[in-house]
Amino acid sequence: MDQQDEALRNVRIAARGPQSTIEIDGEPVDFRAVGAYTISRLPGEPPHVVLHLAGSGDTQFEGMARVSVADMPDPGPAAAVFLAAINPEELERAALARLDLGADPHSLTEAMLTQLGEWARGA
């Protein structure tokens, strides 16, 4: 076993729907401490788990770790592509047909934004 293997940790993630539990070397991690996690693996290398801390919870991490720092991707380009693909006539028709369309000022705009959000989520 080389030096890199000695620093490896046993990580267990059990996920069911939006709920998950995480253990590191058999110790549970407070679910409030982790906002997200990613798992990746390159051929010939052990899996790489990145825990994105949420800034709350009681878990403290101690010891050696491989640290990964990632910037959140800019949503602008993806949003621009999504919006460019929207048919304005179809959006207006869908917004006007919504059961939650109100009669207040800006209700149509609110209905259109709600409709766009649903389309973006695949609903």
Side-chain angles (χ1 to χ4, degrees):
M1 182 184 309
D2 64 21
Q3 187 176 11
Q4 182 182 3
D5 290 336
E6 292 175 14
L8 295 178
R9 301 290 195 170
N10 182 16
V11 178
R12 181 177 184 274
I13 299 175
R16 182 175 193 130
Q19 303 296 324
S20 62
T21 59
I22 302 172
E23 293 179 3
I24 299 175
D25 291 335
E27 293 292 321
V29 175
D30 185 341
F31 71 93
R32 296 170 296 178
V34 179
Y37 60 85
T38 57
I39 302 171
S40 61
R41 184 180 172 277
L42 296 173
E45 293 188 18
H48 185 198
V49 177
V50 179
L51 301 178
H52 302 268
L53 301 181
S56 61
D58 296 328
T59 300
Q60 295 183 10
F61 298 94
E62 184 177 314
M64 302 282 293
R66 184 184 321 171
V67 177
S68 297
V69 178
D71 289 328
M72 293 299 292
D74 178 9
V81 170
F82 171 75
L83 292 172
I86 299 297
N87 178 322
E89 187 177 326
E90 185 178 343
L91 173 60
E92 185 174 321
R93 188 173 29 255
L96 289 171
R98 293 184 63 86
L99 297 177
D100 60 352
L101 177 62
D104 300 330
H106 312 295
S107 291
L108 180 58
T109 303
E110 184 177 353
M112 287 180 167
L113 291 172
T114 301
Q115 186 66 48
L116 287 169
E118 289 177 1
W119 284 346
R121 289 185 299 279

PDB file of all heavy atoms in Angstrom, residues 93-121:
ATOM      1  N   ARG A  93     -49.716  31.161 -24.765  1.00  0.00           N
ATOM      2  CA  ARG A  93     -50.869  30.260 -24.733  1.00  0.00           C
ATOM      3  C   ARG A  93     -50.885  29.439 -23.435  1.00  0.00           C
ATOM      4  O   ARG A  93     -51.906  29.307 -22.764  1.00  0.00           O
ATOM      5  CB  ARG A  93     -50.858  29.355 -25.970  1.00  0.00           C
ATOM      6  CG  ARG A  93     -52.093  28.514 -26.135  1.00  0.00           C
ATOM      7  CD  ARG A  93     -52.176  27.721 -27.446  1.00  0.00           C
ATOM      8  NE  ARG A  93     -50.922  27.316 -28.058  1.00  0.00           N
ATOM      9  CZ  ARG A  93     -50.384  27.901 -29.146  1.00  0.00           C
ATOM     10  NH1 ARG A  93     -50.990  28.908 -29.743  1.00  0.00           N
ATOM     11  NH2 ARG A  93     -49.240  27.481 -29.642  1.00  0.00           N
ATOM     12  N   ALA A  94     -49.713  28.897 -23.052  1.00  0.00           N
ATOM     13  CA  ALA A  94     -49.619  28.080 -21.840  1.00  0.00           C
ATOM     14  C   ALA A  94     -49.881  28.919 -20.588  1.00  0.00           C
ATOM     15  O   ALA A  94     -50.564  28.472 -19.667  1.00  0.00           O
ATOM     16  CB  ALA A  94     -48.242  27.421 -21.753  1.00  0.00           C
ATOM     17  N   ALA A  95     -49.349  30.146 -20.560  1.00  0.00           N
ATOM     18  CA  ALA A  95     -49.551  31.008 -19.385  1.00  0.00           C
ATOM     19  C   ALA A  95     -51.017  31.412 -19.245  1.00  0.00           C
ATOM     20  O   ALA A  95     -51.564  31.421 -18.144  1.00  0.00           O
ATOM     21  CB  ALA A  95     -48.656  32.244 -19.485  1.00  0.00           C
ATOM     22  N   LEU A  96     -51.668  31.744 -20.370  1.00  0.00           N
ATOM     23  CA  LEU A  96     -53.080  32.144 -20.312  1.00  0.00           C
ATOM     24  C   LEU A  96     -53.996  30.979 -19.938  1.00  0.00           C
ATOM     25  O   LEU A  96     -55.081  31.186 -19.406  1.00  0.00           O
ATOM     26  CB  LEU A  96     -53.509  32.755 -21.649  1.00  0.00           C
ATOM     27  CG  LEU A  96     -52.927  34.134 -21.960  1.00  0.00           C
ATOM     28  CD1 LEU A  96     -53.250  34.537 -23.400  1.00  0.00           C
ATOM     29  CD2 LEU A  96     -53.426  35.176 -20.969  1.00  0.00           C
ATOM     30  N   ALA A  97     -53.555  29.751 -20.175  1.00  0.00           N
ATOM     31  CA  ALA A  97     -54.367  28.570 -19.869  1.00  0.00           C
ATOM     32  C   ALA A  97     -54.145  28.061 -18.439  1.00  0.00           C
ATOM     33  O   ALA A  97     -54.824  27.129 -18.013  1.00  0.00           O
ATOM     34  CB  ALA A  97     -54.054  27.458 -20.863  1.00  0.00           C
ATOM     35  N   ARG A  98     -53.233  28.689 -17.703  1.00  0.00           N
ATOM     36  CA  ARG A  98     -52.943  28.221 -16.344  1.00  0.00           C
ATOM     37  C   ARG A  98     -54.134  28.460 -15.423  1.00  0.00           C
ATOM     38  O   ARG A  98     -54.759  29.516 -15.466  1.00  0.00           O
ATOM     39  CB  ARG A  98     -51.712  28.919 -15.772  1.00  0.00           C
ATOM     40  CG  ARG A  98     -50.419  28.560 -16.490  1.00  0.00           C
ATOM     41  CD  ARG A  98     -49.240  29.210 -15.806  1.00  0.00           C
ATOM     42  NE  ARG A  98     -49.089  28.728 -14.447  1.00  0.00           N
ATOM     43  CZ  ARG A  98     -48.419  27.625 -14.108  1.00  0.00           C
ATOM     44  NH1 ARG A  98     -47.826  26.909 -15.029  1.00  0.00           N
ATOM     45  NH2 ARG A  98     -48.323  27.262 -12.846  1.00  0.00           N
ATOM     46  N   LEU A  99     -54.412  27.495 -14.572  1.00  0.00           N
ATOM     47  CA  LEU A  99     -55.501  27.623 -13.605  1.00  0.00           C
ATOM     48  C   LEU A  99     -55.170  28.619 -12.501  1.00  0.00           C
ATOM     49  O   LEU A  99     -56.071  29.176 -11.874  1.00  0.00           O
ATOM     50  CB  LEU A  99     -55.836  26.263 -12.996  1.00  0.00           C
ATOM     51  CG  LEU A  99     -56.357  25.214 -13.981  1.00  0.00           C
ATOM     52  CD1 LEU A  99     -56.582  23.889 -13.275  1.00  0.00           C
ATOM     53  CD2 LEU A  99     -57.631  25.694 -14.660  1.00  0.00           C
ATOM     54  N   ASP A 100     -53.874  28.867 -12.273  1.00  0.00           N
ATOM     55  CA  ASP A 100     -53.474  29.804 -11.220  1.00  0.00           C
ATOM     56  C   ASP A 100     -53.260  31.233 -11.745  1.00  0.00           C
ATOM     57  O   ASP A 100     -52.760  32.087 -11.025  1.00  0.00           O
ATOM     58  CB  ASP A 100     -52.217  29.314 -10.503  1.00  0.00           C
ATOM     59  CG  ASP A 100     -51.016  29.155 -11.430  1.00  0.00           C
ATOM     60  OD1 ASP A 100     -51.180  29.271 -12.664  1.00  0.00           O
ATOM     61  OD2 ASP A 100     -49.909  28.898 -10.922  1.00  0.00           O
ATOM     62  N   LEU A 101     -53.664  31.506 -12.987  1.00  0.00           N
ATOM     63  CA  LEU A 101     -53.532  32.851 -13.546  1.00  0.00           C
ATOM     64  C   LEU A 101     -54.497  33.781 -12.826  1.00  0.00           C
ATOM     65  O   LEU A 101     -55.698  33.538 -12.777  1.00  0.00           O
ATOM     66  CB  LEU A 101     -53.832  32.847 -15.055  1.00  0.00           C
ATOM     67  CG  LEU A 101     -53.800  34.208 -15.754  1.00  0.00           C
ATOM     68  CD1 LEU A 101     -52.410  34.829 -15.669  1.00  0.00           C
ATOM     69  CD2 LEU A 101     -54.230  34.063 -17.203  1.00  0.00           C
ATOM     70  N   GLY A 102     -53.956  34.830 -12.239  1.00  0.00           N
ATOM     71  CA  GLY A 102     -54.783  35.793 -11.497  1.00  0.00           C
ATOM     72  C   GLY A 102     -55.188  36.959 -12.365  1.00  0.00           C
ATOM     73  O   GLY A 102     -54.876  37.031 -13.559  1.00  0.00           O
ATOM     74  N   ALA A 103     -55.910  37.903 -11.747  1.00  0.00           N
ATOM     75  CA  ALA A 103     -56.365  39.097 -12.448  1.00  0.00           C
ATOM     76  C   ALA A 103     -55.618  40.343 -11.983  1.00  0.00           C
ATOM     77  O   ALA A 103     -55.905  41.447 -12.430  1.00  0.00           O
ATOM     78  CB  ALA A 103     -57.868  39.281 -12.238  1.00  0.00           C
ATOM     79  N   ASP A 104     -54.678  40.168 -11.087  1.00  0.00           N
ATOM     80  CA  ASP A 104     -53.910  41.290 -10.558  1.00  0.00           C
ATOM     81  C   ASP A 104     -52.918  41.793 -11.598  1.00  0.00           C
ATOM     82  O   ASP A 104     -52.576  41.074 -12.543  1.00  0.00           O
ATOM     83  CB  ASP A 104     -53.140  40.855  -9.305  1.00  0.00           C
ATOM     84  CG  ASP A 104     -54.052  40.372  -8.195  1.00  0.00           C
ATOM     85  OD1 ASP A 104     -55.192  40.860  -8.108  1.00  0.00           O
ATOM     86  OD2 ASP A 104     -53.607  39.501  -7.408  1.00  0.00           O
ATOM     87  N   PRO A 105     -52.450  43.043 -11.410  1.00  0.00           N
ATOM     88  CA  PRO A 105     -51.397  43.529 -12.310  1.00  0.00           C
ATOM     89  C   PRO A 105     -50.189  42.581 -12.250  1.00  0.00           C
ATOM     90  O   PRO A 105     -49.862  42.045 -11.200  1.00  0.00           O
ATOM     91  CB  PRO A 105     -51.026  44.901 -11.731  1.00  0.00           C
ATOM     92  CG  PRO A 105     -52.223  45.311 -10.944  1.00  0.00           C
ATOM     93  CD  PRO A 105     -52.848  44.048 -10.432  1.00  0.00           C
ATOM     94  N   HIS A 106     -49.594  42.346 -13.345  1.00  0.00           N
ATOM     95  CA  HIS A 106     -48.404  41.499 -13.498  1.00  0.00           C
ATOM     96  C   HIS A 106     -48.710  40.008 -13.361  1.00  0.00           C
ATOM     97  O   HIS A 106     -47.789  39.192 -13.295  1.00  0.00           O
ATOM     98  CB  HIS A 106     -47.298  41.903 -12.518  1.00  0.00           C
ATOM     99  CG  HIS A 106     -47.025  43.368 -12.487  1.00  0.00           C
ATOM    100  ND1 HIS A 106     -46.518  44.048 -13.567  1.00  0.00           N
ATOM    101  CD2 HIS A 106     -47.223  44.300 -11.519  1.00  0.00           C
ATOM    102  CE1 HIS A 106     -46.398  45.329 -13.264  1.00  0.00           C
ATOM    103  NE2 HIS A 106     -46.818  45.514 -12.027  1.00  0.00           N
ATOM    104  N   SER A 107     -49.973  39.609 -13.295  1.00  0.00           N
ATOM    105  CA  SER A 107     -50.325  38.190 -13.173  1.00  0.00           C
ATOM    106  C   SER A 107     -49.854  37.389 -14.383  1.00  0.00           C
ATOM    107  O   SER A 107     -49.418  36.247 -14.241  1.00  0.00           O
ATOM    108  CB  SER A 107     -51.835  38.011 -12.995  1.00  0.00           C
ATOM    109  OG  SER A 107     -52.241  38.492 -11.749  1.00  0.00           O
ATOM    110  N   LEU A 108     -49.970  37.973 -15.577  1.00  0.00           N
ATOM    111  CA  LEU A 108     -49.530  37.264 -16.768  1.00  0.00           C
ATOM    112  C   LEU A 108     -48.025  37.042 -16.732  1.00  0.00           C
ATOM    113  O   LEU A 108     -47.542  35.950 -17.040  1.00  0.00           O
ATOM    114  CB  LEU A 108     -49.931  38.007 -18.046  1.00  0.00           C
ATOM    115  CG  LEU A 108     -49.514  37.329 -19.357  1.00  0.00           C
ATOM    116  CD1 LEU A 108     -50.095  35.923 -19.453  1.00  0.00           C
ATOM    117  CD2 LEU A 108     -49.930  38.180 -20.552  1.00  0.00           C
ATOM    118  N   THR A 109     -47.275  38.053 -16.314  1.00  0.00           N
ATOM    119  CA  THR A 109     -45.820  37.903 -16.196  1.00  0.00           C
ATOM    120  C   THR A 109     -45.476  36.833 -15.181  1.00  0.00           C
ATOM    121  O   THR A 109     -44.614  35.981 -15.419  1.00  0.00           O
ATOM    122  CB  THR A 109     -45.169  39.244 -15.799  1.00  0.00           C
ATOM    123  OG1 THR A 109     -45.511  40.235 -16.764  1.00  0.00           O
ATOM    124  CG2 THR A 109     -43.657  39.114 -15.702  1.00  0.00           C
ATOM    125  N   GLU A 110     -46.173  36.845 -14.043  1.00  0.00           N
ATOM    126  CA  GLU A 110     -45.941  35.826 -13.013  1.00  0.00           C
ATOM    127  C   GLU A 110     -46.261  34.434 -13.557  1.00  0.00           C
ATOM    128  O   GLU A 110     -45.513  33.481 -13.329  1.00  0.00           O
ATOM    129  CB  GLU A 110     -46.778  36.121 -11.781  1.00  0.00           C
ATOM    130  CG  GLU A 110     -46.522  35.171 -10.635  1.00  0.00           C
ATOM    131  CD  GLU A 110     -47.311  35.526  -9.387  1.00  0.00           C
ATOM    132  OE1 GLU A 110     -47.959  36.579  -9.349  1.00  0.00           O
ATOM    133  OE2 GLU A 110     -47.278  34.722  -8.449  1.00  0.00           O
ATOM    134  N   ALA A 111     -47.355  34.306 -14.301  1.00  0.00           N
ATOM    135  CA  ALA A 111     -47.737  33.015 -14.882  1.00  0.00           C
ATOM    136  C   ALA A 111     -46.690  32.558 -15.899  1.00  0.00           C
ATOM    137  O   ALA A 111     -46.357  31.366 -15.962  1.00  0.00           O
ATOM    138  CB  ALA A 111     -49.113  33.113 -15.535  1.00  0.00           C
ATOM    139  N   MET A 112     -46.161  33.491 -16.685  1.00  0.00           N
ATOM    140  CA  MET A 112     -45.133  33.127 -17.665  1.00  0.00           C
ATOM    141  C   MET A 112     -43.849  32.661 -16.963  1.00  0.00           C
ATOM    142  O   MET A 112     -43.249  31.666 -17.377  1.00  0.00           O
ATOM    143  CB  MET A 112     -44.835  34.303 -18.591  1.00  0.00           C
ATOM    144  CG  MET A 112     -45.931  34.582 -19.584  1.00  0.00           C
ATOM    145  SD  MET A 112     -45.478  35.976 -20.634  1.00  0.00           S
ATOM    146  CE  MET A 112     -46.711  35.836 -21.911  1.00  0.00           C
ATOM    147  N   LEU A 113     -43.445  33.360 -15.905  1.00  0.00           N
ATOM    148  CA  LEU A 113     -42.244  32.958 -15.176  1.00  0.00           C
ATOM    149  C   LEU A 113     -42.434  31.597 -14.512  1.00  0.00           C
ATOM    150  O   LEU A 113     -41.526  30.764 -14.510  1.00  0.00           O
ATOM    151  CB  LEU A 113     -41.865  34.020 -14.144  1.00  0.00           C
ATOM    152  CG  LEU A 113     -41.353  35.337 -14.725  1.00  0.00           C
ATOM    153  CD1 LEU A 113     -41.205  36.387 -13.631  1.00  0.00           C
ATOM    154  CD2 LEU A 113     -40.033  35.124 -15.452  1.00  0.00           C
ATOM    155  N   THR A 114     -43.619  31.366 -13.964  1.00  0.00           N
ATOM    156  CA  THR A 114     -43.920  30.058 -13.366  1.00  0.00           C
ATOM    157  C   THR A 114     -43.873  28.974 -14.426  1.00  0.00           C
ATOM    158  O   THR A 114     -43.305  27.889 -14.219  1.00  0.00           O
ATOM    159  CB  THR A 114     -45.296  30.078 -12.678  1.00  0.00           C
ATOM    160  OG1 THR A 114     -45.288  31.087 -11.666  1.00  0.00           O
ATOM    161  CG2 THR A 114     -45.629  28.741 -12.050  1.00  0.00           C
ATOM    162  N   GLN A 115     -44.452  29.256 -15.593  1.00  0.00           N
ATOM    163  CA  GLN A 115     -44.459  28.284 -16.691  1.00  0.00           C
ATOM    164  C   GLN A 115     -43.035  27.989 -17.153  1.00  0.00           C
ATOM    165  O   GLN A 115     -42.665  26.835 -17.362  1.00  0.00           O
ATOM    166  CB  GLN A 115     -45.298  28.817 -17.858  1.00  0.00           C
ATOM    167  CG  GLN A 115     -45.482  27.827 -18.974  1.00  0.00           C
ATOM    168  CD  GLN A 115     -46.309  26.629 -18.545  1.00  0.00           C
ATOM    169  OE1 GLN A 115     -47.365  26.788 -17.944  1.00  0.00           O
ATOM    170  NE2 GLN A 115     -45.837  25.436 -18.837  1.00  0.00           N
ATOM    171  N   LEU A 116     -42.216  29.018 -17.308  1.00  0.00           N
ATOM    172  CA  LEU A 116     -40.826  28.821 -17.717  1.00  0.00           C
ATOM    173  C   LEU A 116     -40.066  27.974 -16.697  1.00  0.00           C
ATOM    174  O   LEU A 116     -39.285  27.095 -17.064  1.00  0.00           O
ATOM    175  CB  LEU A 116     -40.130  30.168 -17.917  1.00  0.00           C
ATOM    176  CG  LEU A 116     -40.537  30.948 -19.156  1.00  0.00           C
ATOM    177  CD1 LEU A 116     -39.988  32.372 -19.096  1.00  0.00           C
ATOM    178  CD2 LEU A 116     -40.079  30.238 -20.421  1.00  0.00           C
ATOM    179  N   GLY A 117     -40.306  28.236 -15.412  1.00  0.00           N
ATOM    180  CA  GLY A 117     -39.666  27.444 -14.366  1.00  0.00           C
ATOM    181  C   GLY A 117     -40.060  25.977 -14.441  1.00  0.00           C
ATOM    182  O   GLY A 117     -39.220  25.081 -14.307  1.00  0.00           O
ATOM    183  N   GLU A 118     -41.337  25.721 -14.694  1.00  0.00           N
ATOM    184  CA  GLU A 118     -41.798  24.344 -14.819  1.00  0.00           C
ATOM    185  C   GLU A 118     -41.177  23.668 -16.034  1.00  0.00           C
ATOM    186  O   GLU A 118     -40.747  22.511 -15.970  1.00  0.00           O
ATOM    187  CB  GLU A 118     -43.334  24.301 -14.890  1.00  0.00           C
ATOM    188  CG  GLU A 118     -43.988  24.639 -13.573  1.00  0.00           C
ATOM    189  CD  GLU A 118     -45.504  24.677 -13.644  1.00  0.00           C
ATOM    190  OE1 GLU A 118     -46.086  24.422 -14.736  1.00  0.00           O
ATOM    191  OE2 GLU A 118     -46.127  24.995 -12.608  1.00  0.00           O
ATOM    192  N   TRP A 119     -41.120  24.368 -17.148  1.00  0.00           N
ATOM    193  CA  TRP A 119     -40.488  23.803 -18.347  1.00  0.00           C
ATOM    194  C   TRP A 119     -39.015  23.522 -18.083  1.00  0.00           C
ATOM    195  O   TRP A 119     -38.469  22.514 -18.525  1.00  0.00           O
ATOM    196  CB  TRP A 119     -40.656  24.737 -19.533  1.00  0.00           C
ATOM    197  CG  TRP A 119     -42.050  24.728 -20.139  1.00  0.00           C
ATOM    198  CD1 TRP A 119     -43.042  23.826 -19.916  1.00  0.00           C
ATOM    199  CD2 TRP A 119     -42.568  25.659 -21.080  1.00  0.00           C
ATOM    200  NE1 TRP A 119     -44.154  24.152 -20.651  1.00  0.00           N
ATOM    201  CE2 TRP A 119     -43.894  25.282 -21.379  1.00  0.00           C
ATOM    202  CE3 TRP A 119     -42.056  26.801 -21.678  1.00  0.00           C
ATOM    203  CZ2 TRP A 119     -44.707  25.985 -22.277  1.00  0.00           C
ATOM    204  CZ3 TRP A 119     -42.867  27.507 -22.563  1.00  0.00           C
ATOM    205  CH2 TRP A 119     -44.168  27.085 -22.848  1.00  0.00           C
ATOM    206  N   ALA A 120     -38.337  24.431 -17.372  1.00  0.00           N
ATOM    207  CA  ALA A 120     -36.912  24.246 -17.095  1.00  0.00           C
ATOM    208  C   ALA A 120     -36.682  23.003 -16.236  1.00  0.00           C
ATOM    209  O   ALA A 120     -35.670  22.316 -16.378  1.00  0.00           O
ATOM    210  CB  ALA A 120     -36.355  25.485 -16.401  1.00  0.00           C
ATOM    211  N   ARG A 121     -37.614  22.701 -15.340  1.00  0.00           N
ATOM    212  CA  ARG A 121     -37.504  21.519 -14.477  1.00  0.00           C
ATOM    213  C   ARG A 121     -38.045  20.259 -15.156  1.00  0.00           C
ATOM    214  O   ARG A 121     -38.038  19.182 -14.571  1.00  0.00           O
ATOM    215  CB  ARG A 121     -38.233  21.744 -13.162  1.00  0.00           C
ATOM    216  CG  ARG A 121     -37.548  22.743 -12.250  1.00  0.00           C
ATOM    217  CD  ARG A 121     -38.233  22.845 -10.886  1.00  0.00           C
ATOM    218  NE  ARG A 121     -39.606  23.298 -10.961  1.00  0.00           N
ATOM    219  CZ  ARG A 121     -39.991  24.571 -11.086  1.00  0.00           C
ATOM    220  NH1 ARG A 121     -39.077  25.517 -11.154  1.00  0.00           N
ATOM    221  NH2 ARG A 121     -41.262  24.880 -11.134  1.00  0.00           N
TER     222      ARG A 121
END
